[in-house]
Amino acid sequence: MLDVRRLRLLRELARRGTIAAVAEALAFSPSAVSQQLGVLEREAGLPLLERTGRRVRLTPAGQNLVRHAEAVLERLEQADAELAEARSGLAGALRIGAFPTAIRAIVPAALVALTRRHPGLEPMVSETDPAAVAHALRAGDLDVALIHEYDFVPAQKEPGLATEPLYREAMYLAAPTGTTAEDAAPGDPRPDRIPRQGPDQGSVLRAHADAPWITATPGTLCHAMALRACQAAGFTPRIRHQVDEFPTVLALVAAGQGVAVVPQLGVMGPTDPAVCLTRLLMERRTKVAFRSGAATHPAVAAFGAALRAAVPPELATPTSAA
């Protein structure tokens, strides 16, 4: 009989490519991972792995077993969800991952509603960049998370994960007041103050091609979004500052340190008059992510419902126009 824990290791190896990466992600030693995979090969009765330099590649039999492992793990999640539904009342830890703007603007209200309705539940929030969510969910470090994608950085399909849309945001160019092009009218994040269609996005960005830029740190989706949006407009931005917190980004813009692309949640509330916001024709879309098979888990479903109720009305719903 194949061991589910070893199947999970094999699946992670298929995603990460090296035994060292699997060991680091799952808090094992590399020798322990190698040993368990060796046992799995003996259980299977044929080779599942072959080494290519420093990396390990799955044999056709190993790849086939990973596909079965995905189905087995999904069914186990469904079984866990059914058991949780059969118990009376929700209790225990719910490990939640979210990015900073969502933690500040949406998650607190969702937690208030969640704990009021399910006092036995213990939500535990960890700030998690969307790029790290898939591994954290598959490793069991998170139960549910918020992720986002941009027009220029679409989300990759992740084995073993499922998502549900939550909301959509407009995107803005933030520039020091007085430096915007004449056709780039100042924006306002309130929907009744934003034109339905702004100026051509490429021309807005190209107007600042020679300016210093402020982006998120490399490796994040926000960094990739800014870089690709500028490249689509025909130039590569000259990056001066790399900052992940949007309030800090806007403070740097107000200080004349550069320009940046920021999402709607990053500019909610009063805006420094030294910052001019121009709405762009691109979006950021946020989704709720969880392990495949866990959609009906009562705790995951309850948190999803609380999130949807906490979304500010000025944000677009997944089915409405931006």
Side-chain angles (χ1 to χ4, degrees):
M1 180 69 68
L2 299 176
D3 185 277
V4 172
R5 292 168 296 182
R6 297 183 188 116
L7 290 175
R8 193 184 300 273
L9 289 176
L10 186 68
R11 181 187 65 175
E12 286 303 307
L13 182 61
R15 294 296 302 163
R16 298 174 187 270
T18 67
I19 288 175
V22 174
E24 182 179 0
L26 302 182
F28 286 111
S29 68
S31 61
V33 173
S34 294
Q35 182 183 33
Q36 290 301 308
L37 291 173
V39 173
L40 182 61
E41 283 190 307
R42 291 195 293 274
E43 290 175 343
L46 73 169
L48 302 175
L49 311 172
E50 57 184 11
R51 293 192 175 274
T52 56
R54 298 180 61 184
R55 299 181 69 84
V56 177
R57 187 169 62 189
L58 272 63
T59 64
Q63 295 171 358
N64 190 49
L65 190 54
V66 166
R67 288 192 290 271
H68 287 295
E70 294 287 1
V72 168
L73 293 170
E74 181 174 348
R75 290 302 297 270
L76 286 175
E77 288 291 339
Q78 293 171 349
D80 184 56
E82 291 178 7
L83 290 173
E85 191 172 7
R87 292 191 290 267
S88 57
L90 294 179
L94 179 66
R95 295 158 298 180
I96 301 164
F99 49 92
T101 48
I103 291 177
R104 182 176 65 252
I106 294 173
V107 171
L111 295 181
V112 169
L114 183 70
T115 54
R116 182 183 295 129
R117 186 168 184 179
H118 305 286
L121 203 58
E122 184 183 2
M124 304 167 65
V125 177
S126 299
E127 183 178 311
T128 309
D129 187 82
V133 161
H135 292 327
L137 283 171
R138 282 195 296 263
D141 296 329
L142 297 175
D143 299 309
V144 61
L146 291 179
I147 60 173
H148 58 232
E149 65 175 6
Y150 296 94
D151 286 343
F152 289 98
V153 193
Q156 299 287 328
K157 174 68 175 175
E158 290 285 353
L161 267 60
T163 62
E164 293 178 353
L166 186 60
Y167 62 85
R168 294 157 52 192
E169 298 171 74
M171 298 294 296
Y172 296 86
L173 176 78
T177 299
T179 64
T180 55
E182 290 183 0
D183 63 346
D188 188 305
R190 290 171 295 181
D192 61 335
R193 300 288 297 278
I194 305 174
R196 295 294 296 175
Q197 230 174 0
D200 173 68
Q201 178 168 294
S203 66
V204 171
L205 297 177
R206 282 192 297 275
H208 300 277
D210 296 327
W213 279 73
I214 306 164
T215 70
T217 53
T220 62
L221 300 183
C222 296
H223 175 86
M225 170 274 302
L227 193 62
R228 293 179 188 179
C230 291
Q231 289 171 340
F235 69 97
T236 298
R238 178 168 56 89
I239 299 172
R240 175 180 291 177
H241 304 293
Q242 296 178 339
V243 178
D244 289 325
E245 286 283 347
F246 290 117
T248 307
V249 169
L250 293 175
L252 289 171
V253 172
Q257 289 296 300
V259 300
V261 177
V262 296
Q264 188 172 348
L265 277 183
V267 296
M268 299 279 278
T271 303
D272 192 316
V275 177
C276 179
L277 298 174
T278 303
R279 182 169 178 174
L280 301 172
L281 301 180
M282 49 189 291
E283 289 183 332
R284 181 167 82 166
R285 294 173 291 279
T286 293
K287 303 176 182 179
V288 184
F290 39 82
R291 288 182 291 277
S292 296
T296 58
H297 191 290
V300 172
F303 181 61
L307 281 172
R308 285 186 285 275
V311 173
E314 53 265 44
L315 296 183
T317 61
T319 56
S320 67

